[in-house]
Amino acid sequence: MRARVSWTLVLAVFLAFPRFQRDRIEEMGFGEIFRIERMRVDSALTQALRSRWDAEATTFVFPWGHMIPSLEDVSRITGLRVYGKPVSGFTYPCYHDLAERLLELPVERRSSLVLRVALQASLELHEAGKSAGESEDEYLERLVRVSQRELASEPGAEADMDLRCFLVLFLGRLLFATRGDAVHCRFLPLLEDLSEVGGYAWGVAFLAHQFDSLGASEQQTSTSGFFPFLQVWAYLHLPALGRGDLTRPGLVPIARCWDSSRDSRNLGDQLERLQEAIDSYTYLDSFRGLHDTTDCRERAKEQIDNWEHRGKAVKSDSTTDDAYLQAYALKYGGKVYKSARHQDREAAQRQTAELRRELERVRSTGEGGASSSRAAGGSPSLLEAQLAGAVLRAEEAQRHLEEQGQRDQLQGEVRATRSERDQLRIRAEAVEAQVAEATKELAALRQAVARSLQQIVTDIGRSRSRSRSGASVSRATGTSVGQYLAGSSSRRRNEEEERCRQGEESAQSGRGGGEMPPPRDRQEGSGESGSGH
């Protein structure tokens, strides 16, 4: 319940933030988390997984081999980034000054914890309790409405402080939750420069935290932190358990596709059924090779230098799967958890074998045994009959248990087939979504190419039009110039002819009564008139 409430509170603040704040959270790589629908906590599944955790080797130990969540699982299920700078640094003995400066929240001297109530109050979540008769949606809507009143609506120092308070709540109460009511401030130094937050590999730190949470104490029956991760991991990798409902296939991250199945049985019955289902899991051969889990675990451990719990890596020198399984059986043969029903089958087998041996011993005693029995007041034939009846009853009980196991196995196979079908449907829908996206991109590309070609044709047409206009202007200009030159030449010829005609008339008049006048150009003093006369 606490995990569910924390998830609702964090989601409410995210939804209450103005658009620019949600965009900043998206850029930090946390946006995918808040697209996941609220999921029911499956306590029985969590406890069943936890009972299989080997704290020494930091891995799940199943009858068929080791299994462990990988960084790929983190990325696909939660959408958290698994690349970037390591989430590491110094752990301060006191965060008093840092919390007052960055959060304006009180942290006691010599303490690394901020009170949850004070942190929620800074985000206007004073009344965080759910009212009687209030549905989950109504509860969430009320929290969003209340939180919106005090959150900064514009970028600035106040908005930065709101975002830091939210991130401390998100990281400390949900993603890296620890037991207890207070919230640790260990991530606060990484939040001082908000522009750097998106550069950290938060998904790697999250996986390391899951290892630490599972191995924290053998007395704990549940895990802290972001509970949908392990549940969806089991839905994907242990589908025959039938604990998840694929309700929204094709969405990302994958946690959005699933809901936890409803189970009305009490927790003890659910847990026993789950343990039995794990012991009789059908697809054991498909998990061969899962022992090679060193890389993802070592990478996670290397990323978190200051993490407290460090498990030993599962290393194997085996070169084949069979050799690995033999080594696995030698190491874990007596430690692998066996359910009550599995233990009952083994006890029935042992009891049947013992009764058969006793019956054979009685039959082999012969007359000597009969005499001894009669002396002791017993009848060998009666004892033999009693033993024979006991053997028959034990064999019948053994057959009944084996038939029950076969029925459970058949049911597991049916569940596995359905889960495989669901997974195939997920893949098919993912491919269809990719094809649809590619089709859209292709159509957009075709439109862009068509527009580009149309623009090119238009530009060419305009260029040709300008060229034709230029040629027309040139021709018109050439004609005008030619006409002007032709007109000038005609005028000069006319003037010359006029001068010649006037000269001839003067000559004719000179022959008749006077001296011929000099040419016109000489009268005007062309330069020859003053040549030394």
Side-chain angles (χ1 to χ4, degrees), residues 367-387:
E367 291 299 325
S371 300
S372 301
S373 299
R374 280 193 294 269
S379 170
S381 59
L382 179 59
L383 180 58
E384 183 178 339
Q386 291 173 342
L387 285 172

Side-chain angles (χ1 to χ4, degrees), residues 83-129:
Y83 54 87
K85 295 183 293 185
V87 181
S88 62
F90 295 102
T91 301
Y92 301 159
C94 176
Y95 289 83
H96 177 274
D97 296 336
L98 198 61
E100 282 196 344
R101 178 166 59 87
L102 299 180
L103 305 177
E104 292 188 356
L105 291 177
V107 172
E108 294 186 7
R109 292 286 181 182
R110 305 183 60 142
S111 174
S112 59
L113 303 175
V114 61
L115 295 178
R116 175 186 57 81
V117 175
L119 186 59
Q120 290 178 190
S122 69
L123 298 168
E124 202 58 28
L125 294 177
H126 302 281
E127 301 294 333

